[in-house]
Amino acid sequence: MFLYLIRHGQTEWNREHRVMGVTPVPLAEEGRAGAAALARELKAKKIPVIYSSTVERALETARILAAEWGAEIREEPRLNESPFEPWVGKTYSELRDDENFKLYFETPTRARFSNGEGMVDIQRRALEAVHDIVETVKTGRAAAVSHADVIKPVLAHYLGMELDAIHRLSIANASSSLVDFKETPPRIRYVNFAPWQWRDTP
C-alpha cells in the first residue's frame, strides 16, 4: 500500500515560531488554503481513509482533505504532537538559551522536552501507528495527518537514518511525503511535496 504522511496546514503560531505542543491552535487562512491545494493535487489518487492526530490543527487539515476526497477520518492519538510542556507558548527566540531546546535541534535523543516522553518514544509510538495502519488497510492508499517532528522520525526509520539526524529533513506545512509499503523494505517515493509553494491558490 501507499501511505501519504501529511503535515497539518500553517497556523499563526507556526508563523510566529511559537511552540504549540497539543494546544488547540486553529489553522491560519494560509494554512487552510495550503491544505486545500494539497487536497486538490492528491484528489486523483482516490485516498479513501485519513488517519489523523487528534490535535485540532491536524484534525482541521484532515477535514479539508476529507471534504475534497470524500474520505473517512479515523482519529489516531499516536500521531499526536508531543506536549512540549515546558516550552508551549514560547517563541524560538525566547528559548534560545534553554539547553534542552538547543539539544532538541542538535541531538534530539538527549533533549528533555515533554513529561515522560523523549524522541525515541515519539518514534516508537508513531511507527506503531504506521504499522497498524498498514496492517489494517493492507492494499491501496491511506493518508496520515500529523506533525513535522512526528513525521521526521518515521521517515528517518525507513531511510535508515540515525534519529539524531532528523532535523536534516524539512517537512513543510501542508506537505506530503509518500512511503511505498509494497516494497520490502518500504521505500520513500518522495519527501516534502507542497504544491502551494509553486501554484497559485485561491
Side-chain angles (χ1 to χ4, degrees):
M1 67 159 289
F2 290 112
L3 181 62
Y4 296 79
L5 299 173
I6 294 172
R7 185 184 177 191
H8 64 81
Q10 187 184 65
T11 70
E12 294 290 347
W13 283 26
N14 283 136
R15 283 199 302 216
E16 295 168 0
H17 301 290
R18 193 177 298 277
V19 178
M20 287 182 282
V22 296
T23 305
V25 181
L27 299 184
E29 182 179 350
E30 294 89 341
R32 292 189 292 273
L38 182 63
R40 291 192 296 271
E41 193 68 30
L42 295 180
K43 185 174 184 177
K45 303 302 180 183
K46 301 186 184 304
I47 300 168
V49 60
I50 301 166
Y51 290 82
S52 178
S53 155
T54 65
V55 179
E56 178 55 32
R57 58 191 182 272
L59 278 172
E60 189 176 354
T61 302
R63 293 184 196 110
I64 292 169
L65 299 173
E68 184 72 31
W69 301 344
E72 173 190 358
I73 297 175
R74 299 176 186 174
E75 294 186 18
E76 175 48 81
R78 290 174 295 180
L79 297 174
N80 285 9
E81 181 68 284
S82 198
F84 296 121
E85 293 97 342
W87 300 338
V88 167
K90 297 179 181 178
T91 65
Y92 290 8
S93 61
E94 290 171 331
L95 290 164
R96 63 175 177 265
D97 295 326
D98 185 309
E99 289 302 319
N100 270 310
F101 192 70
K102 294 177 186 176
L103 280 175
Y104 185 79
F105 291 98
E106 294 169 359
T107 51
T109 60
R110 294 176 54 207
R112 296 295 172 263
F113 50 85
S114 290
N115 296 334
E117 180 172 69
M119 187 55 69
V120 171
D121 304 302
I122 294 171
Q123 185 184 53
R124 182 184 299 116
R125 66 169 164 84
L127 286 171
E128 287 174 355
V130 167
H131 176 269
D132 288 351
I133 292 168
V134 172
E135 288 297 303
T136 299
V137 177
K138 296 187 184 300
T139 61
R141 293 175 167 85
V145 180
S146 189
H147 309 266
D149 290 357
V150 178
I151 294 171
K152 286 178 186 179
V154 170
L155 291 174
H157 172 77
Y158 292 116
L159 288 167
M161 290 173 57
E162 292 185 6
L163 190 52
D164 279 331
I166 60 169
H167 294 306
R168 297 179 189 177
L169 296 169
S170 179
I171 304 296
N173 290 113
S175 69
S176 172
S177 300
L178 179 58
V179 187
D180 180 355
F181 287 94
K182 294 186 298 181
E183 301 284 348
T184 305
R187 293 192 179 184
I188 307 298
R189 293 299 179 186
Y190 61 74
V191 173
N192 201 33
F193 170 61
W196 54 267
Q197 293 184 350
W198 49 269
R199 285 192 175 179
D200 291 336
T201 56

